[in-house]
Amino acid sequence: MAMMGIQMDDDLEQKLKRLTNHKHALIMKMENKLLILDQEHENISMDDLRNKIPENEPRIIAYSYDFQRPSGQKIHHSTVILVCPDPSPGGCSARTVMMYASSVGLPKKAMNATECLEIKNKNDLTEQWLKNHLVH
């Protein structure tokens, strides 16, 4: 699977297709225009997940989350989250940010994600932030 010259690792694509367990996360990174699995975590909270992400480097997170509405209805969300800090000296380049932004559709399509969200500061990545974006 390729998008703008960017490809996704085949093993990663298979893992994305099977991502259905609550609070299961795949953290992806780019290596030479190849989107690969950086880390995998099962039953991880947003707080713990936030601490696994580098401060000044982009990451794409595939996160499976079960949400219960006030009515009691349970809804499963497969979400892709692009954590993309602004380009900065000593941080990531504008080119890197563009590569990550253009590749986010690959995992979204592979896992048939219900949501695709973007966040600039990893410290804003909280369970409340996620819930606010998933409630429609």
Side-chain angles (χ1 to χ4, degrees), residues 74-136:
K74 193 174 182 182
I75 299 169
H76 176 77
H77 285 280
S78 297
T79 307
V80 175
I81 303 167
L82 172 61
V83 181
C84 206
D86 285 325
S88 63
C92 61
S93 68
R95 184 170 189 264
T96 300
V97 168
M98 286 175 48
M99 274 182 41
Y100 273 85
S102 67
S103 66
V104 81
L106 294 172
K108 183 177 190 239
K109 183 178 179 185
M111 68 188 284
N112 198 20
T114 51
E115 299 287 335
C116 191
L117 306 171
E118 184 175 342
I119 195 165
K120 298 236 179 250
N121 184 337
K122 78 168 197 158
N123 294 321
D124 294 335
L125 191 64
T126 64
E127 192 153 349
Q128 190 58 54
W129 174 85
L130 182 64
K131 285 180 179 180
N132 289 346
H133 284 82
L134 297 181
V135 176
H136 297 302

